[in-house]
Amino acid sequence: MLVKEDLQEFVQEKLDDYRFVVVSNRQPYEHVYNKGKIECRRPSGGVITALDPVMKACHGLWIAASSGEADHRVTDRFNKIEVPVDNPAYTLKRVWLNKQEEEGYYYGYSNDALWPLCHTAFQRPFFKQEDWQHYINVNQKFANAVMEEIGTAKAFIWIQDYHFCLLPKLLKDMAASNQLIIAHFWHIPWPSYEAFRICPQKNEILEGMLANDMIGFHTHYHCNNFLEVVDRQLESKIDRERFSVIRRDHETLIRPYPISVDFEEINRKAQADNSQKIESDLAEEFHLGNCQILLGVDRIDYTKGIPERLLAIDRLLEKHPELIEKIVFLQVGVLSRIHIAKYKTLNDEINFLVEKINWKYSTDDWSPVIFTRSNMPSSKLLVLYRMAQVCIVSALHDGMNLVAKEYVAAHYDEDGVLVLSQFAGSARELTEAMLINPYDSEQFSDGLYQALTMPEEERRKRMVKMRQTVHENNIFRWAAKFLSGLLKIEFKEQEVMVV
Ligand code: GDG
């Protein structure tokens, strides 16, 4: 197992001459007003969950878009702030976007075009010329922010996700030759050629991305899709032996690195001293009584399969009325991207289903579904994971899905059953989960029933195995493997672990 200190040492040793810079759209900490006072909050989302522990270990610079109304009040004249505020470990530089940029680049091109294009969730992507123009401008704005920080110094730039397809090329064009090592991690699925070819800006996107020295995906499957798309779309050489693309004398390595979570930290926090108190508060807040808890935790997004999950709960209670008053399904669902019409419709659909199911089965002091939209503090969330007998991850398509791994890491009691969509990247590693097809209500609801009635011995056997997997393949190992892959060093864990 690789720990935080090993990654720290590895970065110091191998990237010592280089500034370490991460670029993402979402920032790891935002400042907001609460009752007239400035408060620092952690936004929800997989990229932040994964990268924050890495940055705490590596002490680099993270450049991201501002998102909190009080952000500007706490940053210095270079738009920077040391974070986390109570125990600074790295620097956050904020980029300010105006309303039109946010609308066009974030809600428009990133999330109404690229997001549905890359996920097979049967939602049509919209490609609007003005959104694309904002996407270009914002990528340039981030390129300027990076260059403003690094000047002529050598730097390793680690770009996150689909918001920045053009950034690698913009940076390479602006920097001196050999000044930058640039790598990109793509957190969502990469689609097949058939799906990708509808994108009007496909060549610009591929050209931009192939300025990277390496592109990482969660799975081999996404790597193969990417290579196939490049092969069919651009004049280039695909080196199947080295798993790379060569275009105009520049080589881009394509590699699968399944992302993960900070197992040790989650495991520790889930059993913190105050966890008993948090547990009883949660039971009271959500009227959980003695019911068996089935838990869902997601950003409200059509890729996460939340209506499908509700339909499976409905079917479960239809087939097994003996579960009435014995179980409760608690969904923690933070609102996300609500300016996009599809998300508004999804929200209405979820509300309708929750009401319908509760109307159908509620008794005097019991309702089967509890839905909370508040962003839960992680101390509470980790205890809730541990309290839940079953965690339901029913994504229609997901790059990885960290909720699945967090649930496993929080179950220090080695109990609990993970019901996991076969279409989430995590299903490839967590094979001891109860795998379901979210589109198949019958099989899905049968999976839930099996999870609820699984003998203890079987539950423990599966959970122990999954915990070993997440413990071993933790977030520090992911980062170290990614970086060593990039530096073309043969990854030898023993070497990295020497203190
Ligand atoms: C993208 C890819 C890939 C959610 N609600 C609360 C809360 N969360 C946290 C969870 C988890 C994170 O948000 C969600 O991560 P996911 O991986 O499930 O999903 P995406 O945001 O879609 O992430 C995904 C990921 O990138 C990483 O590569 O796995 O496939 O789509 O950490 O815990 N956290 C807190 N309160 C909440 O209410 N504290």
Side-chain angles (χ1 to χ4, degrees), residues 85-118:
V85 269
D86 49 354
N87 187 15
Y90 63 94
T91 309
L92 170 65
K93 181 182 173 83
R94 288 170 170 153
V95 174
W96 316 104
L97 302 182
N98 62 36
K99 274 244 159 78
Q100 291 77 15
E101 286 170 335
E102 199 181 339
E103 187 66 38
Y105 141 84
Y106 179 73
Y107 290 108
Y109 203 79
S110 297
N111 287 313
D112 212 12
L114 290 177
W115 178 269
L117 180 73
C118 292

Side-chain angles (χ1 to χ4, degrees), residues 157-172:
I157 317 289
W158 196 357
I159 301 169
Q160 308 299 318
D161 239 352
Y162 57 98
H163 312 85
F164 297 116
C165 294
L166 308 178
L167 183 58
K169 181 158 187 324
L170 292 171
L171 284 172
K172 282 272 166 91

Side-chain angles (χ1 to χ4, degrees), residues 135 360 474:
Y135 188 85
K360 192 165 162 187
N474 64 15

Side-chain angles (χ1 to χ4, degrees), residues 26 42-51 115 119 161-162 185-189 218 259-261 297-299 301 303-304 332-334 337 372-379 381 385 393 397-404 406 425 478:
R26 188 164 301 187
R42 273 278 303 260
S44 305
V47 176
I48 292 167
T49 305
L51 268 296
W115 178 269
H119 288 90
D161 239 352
Y162 57 98
F185 192 79
W186 193 262
H187 291 262
I188 64 176
H218 291 299
I259 209 163
S260 194
V261 293
V297 179
D298 308 80
R299 280 185 309 100
D301 193 295
T303 60
K304 302 291 181 185
V332 179
V334 191
R337 305 173 193 167
T372 170
R373 287 195 165 73
S374 63
N375 188 340
M376 201 173 262
S378 72
S379 51
L381 184 60
Y385 277 136
V393 172
H397 200 190
D398 217 334
M400 174 54 63
N401 196 292
L402 294 181
V403 169
E406 287 166 4
W478 171 80

Side-chain angles (χ1 to χ4, degrees), residues 36 101-102 135 144 162 235 257 308 323:
E101 286 170 335
E102 199 181 339
Y135 188 85
N144 297 344
Y162 57 98
E235 207 165 296
Y257 295 114
E308 288 73 8
L323 294 175

Side-chain angles (χ1 to χ4, degrees), residues 414-442:
E414 300 182 337
D415 203 349
V417 183
L418 174 64
V419 174
L420 178 59
S421 163
Q422 63 192 89
F423 309 122
S426 46
R428 298 187 183 230
E429 284 174 275
L430 303 176
T431 47
E432 293 77 20
M434 177 71 66
L435 295 181
I436 51 103
N437 173 356
Y439 292 95
D440 182 348
S441 289
E442 283 310 307

Side-chain angles (χ1 to χ4, degrees), residues 425-464:
S426 46
R428 298 187 183 230
E429 284 174 275
L430 303 176
T431 47
E432 293 77 20
M434 177 71 66
L435 295 181
I436 51 103
N437 173 356
Y439 292 95
D440 182 348
S441 289
E442 283 310 307
Q443 187 250 9
F444 189 172
S445 56
D446 288 346
L448 291 177
Y449 186 71
Q450 276 184 54
L452 285 166
T453 54
M454 189 182 282
E456 186 180 341
E457 197 186 334
E458 171 80 11
R459 293 198 305 262
R460 287 189 181 281
K461 203 170 85 193
R462 289 176 183 240
M463 184 52 87
V464 166

